[in-house]
Amino acid sequence: LKPTMPFLDSLFKAMVNVIPSSSQFFHKGYGDLEHAKKLQSLLLQRLASGEKGAPIQVRWTSQEVPESGGWFSRRPRVLTSTGHFLSPAADFLPQESKEVEFQLILP
């Protein structure tokens, strides 16, 4: 898997459309508009530089192969693997959101 600039393009477009000109970032006034503007500036710099970003490094943390119920079981046997990787947008996310966790489920 490889992060791409179109992802950053979409993120930037979303930020531009969401950030209002008033001091309220969200409709109830929660959020730091100055921080969002700094992130927007950093994102623009990265886009202008043509930076491609580092490839995603998946770290597999668990794998489960449940017992099947035998030849005539209605329960399918599946392999479930859990993986993690650092988000390509980690620089723009809070600490608790930087790492992506996902599951790969195979028959």
Side-chain angles (χ1 to χ4, degrees):
L1 299 174
K2 193 174 183 182
T4 60
M5 291 307 289
F7 167 79
L8 293 177
D9 290 340
S10 298
L11 180 63
F12 173 72
K13 181 180 177 189
M15 287 179 68
V16 168
N17 291 335
V18 169
I19 298 175
S21 57
S22 72
S23 62
Q24 291 189 340
F25 189 21
F26 294 105
H27 71 282
K28 291 188 177 181
Y30 303 118
D32 184 348
L33 183 58
E34 288 307 310
H35 181 67
K37 287 180 180 179
K38 287 177 188 175
L39 291 178
Q40 181 183 27
S41 175
L42 177 61
L43 184 57
L44 279 173
Q45 290 171 5
R46 286 191 177 181
L47 289 171
S49 73
E51 181 180 331
K52 293 186 181 198
I56 293 173
Q57 301 293 322
V58 176
R59 181 174 41 90
W60 296 102
T61 56
S62 69
Q63 188 172 19
E64 297 177 32
V65 183
E67 293 295 321
S68 70
W71 286 100
F72 300 106
S73 173
R74 292 181 181 217
R75 285 188 347 215
R77 183 182 168 118
V78 296
L79 170 68
T80 304
S81 299
T82 302
H84 302 263
F85 63 89
L86 186 64
S87 170
D91 293 342
F92 307 102
L93 299 173
Q95 186 62 36
E96 58 274 8
S97 301
K98 291 181 185 238
E99 185 173 86
V100 176
E101 179 178 297
F102 67 97
Q103 285 192 320
L104 173 65
I105 303 171
L106 300 170

